[in-house]
């Protein structure tokens, strides 16, 4: 299996090269040259496997320069019970025709753990396979969850440095504390004055800076990414779509071969794209519900065919989705244009120069056939948290609430009673204040009291406080630098101890 760039200006590479490099040299994203196809029998058989066995099976289709034994070793190390408990992705029955796929049982209480616990293992093996002895600088821009998950995954991994940039005022108090208290001799965290798109744009520009890359190489370093622009971040997420379907059949929730709907809260389009790839591989999916908060650039795109980032970024109670430039959409467009890299490159240029682009009518129609898009405002999000708890005694975080409400909007508009799996992307304990507001139990609390809020959430719901939260209350702050978005490259060099005279 070889990988090509969505912009078509670099040659084919192996999976190890794609994972190590992160972003293609032409600014595009790596995608597989072809996709495997699984039969229904193969899909249903995944229910008999443990999660790590299932992950190794899926990865084996794409990472063909890794041996099956190597992938099994990576998966076993990543998804150990010590990190994820008995099941990394349990499917929970909540409504009559709606289940919730809980993806937040990992060490940082967010779905990003499922990819970022295995990526360091894939990355270190990629180094050996590509025959380079340089050390890797992992760069990550985060809207809240990727940063901590990447830090947790790469902390003290030999031969790596992990540098994370987050919007200083754009993450929840718990998300921020998780990052700034991160331990590890190779970890560095910077707040930036700006939003997630500023951080993401800065990281992409750094990847495209050939002069900086050459300078780092002289000192034995090279860049890679922990964001979902890296294929090694995206491909592990395909696993839980297949596993949840097999589990739904085994649980008697659906008949074998029955088409299902996935409702996905998404900002950068990575999580939902993994589902699209699963469908492309043969998973019986009727439709995807693309759920957005009031930063509804994806909703507008799916409904109109016009992608327009020229709008104000809203700071919301679901901060991991506060994004206006959805990087992984480029991969979808590459696929829906039948790998027309020139067309994709033209649209991406228009986005960078004019702030918007319009896809052709046939592509727009294909997008609408695949995706139903809806957005959910702040009041609806909180109301949904309360309603789900009152109706089902089930507690959801604000991102999951956005997906739940978008699924309700789909049912209302379509009268479709198909079975829906709602992807739950974070523990409610990462957003206690908002959850308590949704439950009507936040009186007297504010965002400066995250641990008090956690204790109250336990009192109100009976849910145990995760140890990751309680342990953090007494951890010292280790990363307190806040920089301008234009200072990211300079601070990377400072972190790597590259002398100023070489800048």
């Amino acid at each position: 299996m070889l990988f090509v760039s969505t912009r078509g200006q670099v040659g084919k590479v192996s999976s190890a090269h794609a994972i190590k490099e992160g972003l293609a040299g032409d600014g595009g994203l790596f995608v597989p040259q072809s996709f495997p196809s699984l039969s229904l029998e193969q899909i249903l058989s995944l229910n008999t496997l443990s999660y790590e066995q299932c992950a190794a099976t899926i990865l084996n289709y794409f990472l063909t320069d890794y041996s099956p034994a190597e992938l099994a070793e990576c998966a076993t190390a990543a998804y150990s019970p010590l990190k994820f408990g008995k099941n990394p992705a349990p499917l929970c029955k909540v409504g009559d025709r709606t289940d919730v796929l809980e993806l937040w049982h990992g060490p940082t209480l967010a779905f990003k753990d499922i990819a970022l616990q295995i990526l360091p293992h894939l990355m270190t093996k990629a180094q050996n396979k590509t025959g380079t002895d340089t050390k890797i600088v992992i760069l990550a821009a985060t809207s809240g969850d990727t940063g901590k998950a990447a830090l947790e995954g790469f902390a003290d991994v030999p031969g790596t440095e992990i540098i994370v940039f987050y919007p200083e005022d754009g993450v929840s108090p718990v998300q921020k504390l998780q990052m700034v208290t991160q331990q590890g001799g190779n970890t560095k965290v910077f707040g930036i004055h700006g939003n997630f798109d500023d951080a993401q744009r800065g990281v992409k520009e750094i990847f495209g800076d050939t002069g900086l890359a050459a300078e780092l190489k002289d000192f034995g370093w090279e860049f890679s990414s922990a964001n979902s622009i890296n294929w090694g971040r995206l491909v592990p997420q395909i696993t839980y779509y297949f596993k949840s379907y097999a589990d739904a059949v085994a649980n008697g929730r659906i008949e074998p071969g029955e088409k299902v709907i996935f409702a996905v809260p998404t900002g950068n389009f990575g999580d939902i794209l993994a589902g699209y790839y699963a469908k492309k591989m043969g998973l019986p999916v009727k439709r995807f519900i693309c759920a957005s908060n009031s930063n509804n650039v994806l909703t507008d795109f799916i409904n109109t065919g016009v992608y327009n980032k020229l709008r104000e970024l809203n700071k919301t109670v679901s901060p991991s989705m506060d994004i206006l430039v959805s990087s992984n959409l480029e991969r979808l467009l590459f696929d829906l244009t039948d790998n027309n890299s020139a067309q994709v490159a033209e649209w991406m240029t228009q986005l960078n120069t004019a702030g918007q682009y319009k896809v052709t009518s046939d592509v727009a129609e294909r997008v609408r056939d695949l995706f139903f898009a809806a957005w959910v405002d702040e009041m609806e999000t909180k109301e949904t948290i309360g309603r789900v708890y009152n109706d089902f005694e089930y507690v959801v975080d604000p991102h999951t609430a956005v997906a739940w409400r978008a699924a309700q909007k789909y049912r209302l508009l379509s009268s479709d009673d198909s079975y829906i799996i709602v992807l739950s992307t974070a523990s409610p304990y990462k957003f206690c204040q908002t959850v308590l507001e949704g439950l009507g139990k936040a009186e007297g609390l504010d965002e400066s009291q995250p641990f008090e809020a956690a204790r109250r959430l336990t009192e109100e719901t009976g849910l145990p406080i995760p140890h990751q939260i309680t342990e953090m209350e007494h951890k010292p702050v280790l990363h307190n630098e806040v920089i301008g978005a234009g200072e990211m490259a300079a601070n990377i060099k400072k972190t790597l101890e590259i002398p100023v005279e070489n800048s």
Side-chain angles (χ1 to χ4, degrees), residues 24-234:
D26 58 1
L29 308 185
F30 285 116
V31 290
Q33 201 175 8
S34 60
F35 282 81
S37 180
L38 276 68
S39 67
L40 181 61
E41 183 180 7
Q42 287 174 303
I43 294 169
L44 298 182
S45 70
L46 297 175
N47 173 257
T48 64
L49 304 180
S50 66
Y51 191 88
E52 55 265 35
Q53 290 171 326
C54 186
T57 300
I58 299 300
L59 293 176
N60 197 54
Y61 287 108
F62 293 100
L63 310 184
T64 53
D65 46 337
Y66 293 73
S67 71
E70 286 176 318
L71 293 175
E73 178 188 329
C74 290
T76 300
Y79 304 121
S80 73
L82 284 175
K83 293 179 179 178
F84 282 91
K86 293 180 181 178
N87 185 352
L91 187 64
C92 300
K93 180 182 178 181
V94 179
D96 288 339
R97 293 287 286 160
T98 307
D99 285 356
V100 173
L101 179 61
E102 294 182 348
L103 299 172
W104 40 261
H105 290 275
T108 77
L109 307 177
F111 81 104
K112 307 290 177 72
D113 287 327
I114 289 184
L116 283 164
Q117 281 299 308
I118 196 168
L119 181 60
H121 299 283
L122 298 174
M123 189 80 75
T124 52
K125 291 188 185 302
Q127 277 288 81
N128 296 330
K129 292 178 183 298
T130 55
T132 55
D133 55 5
T134 52
K135 294 172 289 185
I136 296 178
V137 187
I138 305 294
L139 296 185
T142 185
S143 53
D145 288 334
T146 289
K148 173 59 180 176
L151 289 161
E152 190 73 23
F154 280 95
D156 292 324
V157 170
T160 68
E161 184 84 15
I162 167 80
I163 303 176
V164 169
F165 300 95
Y166 73 94
E168 168 69 8
D169 296 318
V171 299
S172 81
V174 169
Q175 287 175 316
K176 183 175 180 178
L177 277 170
Q178 283 186 310
M179 290 187 279
V180 299
T181 59
Q182 176 66 49
Q183 297 174 312
N186 65 337
T187 64
K188 188 68 176 178
V189 180
F190 293 99
I192 67 161
H193 297 297
N195 56 42
F196 169 76
D197 287 324
D198 296 321
Q200 180 171 248
R201 181 172 57 252
V203 166
K204 284 188 172 182
E205 288 174 357
I206 288 165
F207 272 105
D209 188 336
T210 54
L212 180 60
E215 192 172 348
L216 261 66
K217 195 168 185 179
D218 288 340
F219 285 86
W221 294 100
E222 63 181 312
F223 287 128
S224 191
S225 173
N227 284 89
S228 55
I229 55 176
N230 190 321
W231 179 254
R233 240 296 301 278
L234 188 64

Side-chain angles (χ1 to χ4, degrees), residues 251-325:
N251 295 344
R253 299 292 279 150
I254 54 173
E255 296 297 321
E258 183 179 339
K259 289 190 174 183
V260 305
I261 295 170
F262 288 95
V264 187
T266 190
N268 219 9
F269 208 74
D271 199 5
I272 200 167
L273 180 70
Y276 168 74
Y277 283 154
K279 173 181 170 67
K280 190 174 170 68
M281 294 165 66
L283 191 67
V285 179
K286 184 174 187 179
R287 214 162 184 201
F288 294 97
I289 297 171
C290 180
S292 300
N293 60 22
S294 56
N295 294 298
N296 55 358
V297 63
L298 283 169
T299 308
D300 288 349
F301 169 71
I302 289 169
N303 291 333
T304 68
V306 176
Y307 195 102
N308 185 345
K309 69 172 184 177
L310 301 175
R311 61 186 76 194
E312 186 176 346
L313 184 79
N314 298 307
K315 184 180 175 182
T316 75
V317 295
S318 47
S320 298
M321 299 156 67
D322 290 350
I323 295 170
L324 294 181
V325 180

Side-chain angles (χ1 to χ4, degrees), residues 195-422:
N195 56 42
F196 169 76
D197 287 324
D198 296 321
Q200 180 171 248
R201 181 172 57 252
V203 166
K204 284 188 172 182
E205 288 174 357
I206 288 165
F207 272 105
D209 188 336
T210 54
L212 180 60
E215 192 172 348
L216 261 66
K217 195 168 185 179
D218 288 340
F219 285 86
W221 294 100
E222 63 181 312
F223 287 128
S224 191
S225 173
N227 284 89
S228 55
I229 55 176
N230 190 321
W231 179 254
R233 240 296 301 278
L234 188 64
V235 65
Q237 296 176 254
I238 297 173
T239 300
Y240 49 71
Y241 283 94
F242 281 107
K243 189 73 166 70
S244 63
Y245 185 92
D247 288 348
V249 172
N251 295 344
R253 299 292 279 150
I254 54 173
E255 296 297 321
E258 183 179 339
K259 289 190 174 183
V260 305
I261 295 170
F262 288 95
V264 187
T266 190
N268 219 9
F269 208 74
D271 199 5
I272 200 167
L273 180 70
Y276 168 74
Y277 283 154
K279 173 181 170 67
K280 190 174 170 68
M281 294 165 66
L283 191 67
V285 179
K286 184 174 187 179
R287 214 162 184 201
F288 294 97
I289 297 171
C290 180
S292 300
N293 60 22
S294 56
N295 294 298
N296 55 358
V297 63
L298 283 169
T299 308
D300 288 349
F301 169 71
I302 289 169
N303 291 333
T304 68
V306 176
Y307 195 102
N308 185 345
K309 69 172 184 177
L310 301 175
R311 61 186 76 194
E312 186 176 346
L313 184 79
N314 298 307
K315 184 180 175 182
T316 75
V317 295
S318 47
S320 298
M321 299 156 67
D322 290 350
I323 295 170
L324 294 181
V325 180
S326 304
S327 290
N328 277 289
L329 188 62
E330 181 171 341
R331 282 184 166 117
L332 178 73
L333 296 177
F334 182 75
D335 201 70
L336 297 185
T337 57
D338 298 320
N339 301 2
N340 187 338
S341 56
Q343 176 66 86
V344 171
E346 182 183 336
W347 286 332
M348 294 306 110
T349 299
Q350 289 173 10
L351 184 64
N352 288 333
T353 57
Q356 61 182 321
Y357 61 86
K358 181 178 182 178
V359 298
T360 56
S361 57
D362 60 318
V363 170
E365 187 176 343
R366 292 181 73 181
V367 169
R368 284 192 295 273
D369 286 344
L370 290 161
F371 301 93
F372 169 86
W375 67 278
V376 179
D377 67 23
E378 306 294 276
M379 186 176 294
E380 285 181 293
T381 301
K382 293 177 184 178
E383 285 177 351
T384 301
I385 291 170
R387 195 174 302 159
V388 172
Y389 186 69
N390 290 335
D391 291 350
F392 306 105
E393 293 189 353
Y394 186 80
V395 185
V396 296
D397 89 294
H399 303 79
T400 308
V402 167
W404 183 281
R405 181 69 182 130
Q408 288 183 314
K409 291 184 178 187
Y410 171 79
R411 289 208 195 278
L412 188 66
L413 291 170
S414 67
S415 300
D416 184 353
D417 194 38
S418 296
Y419 171 75
I420 294 178
I421 295 177
V422 174

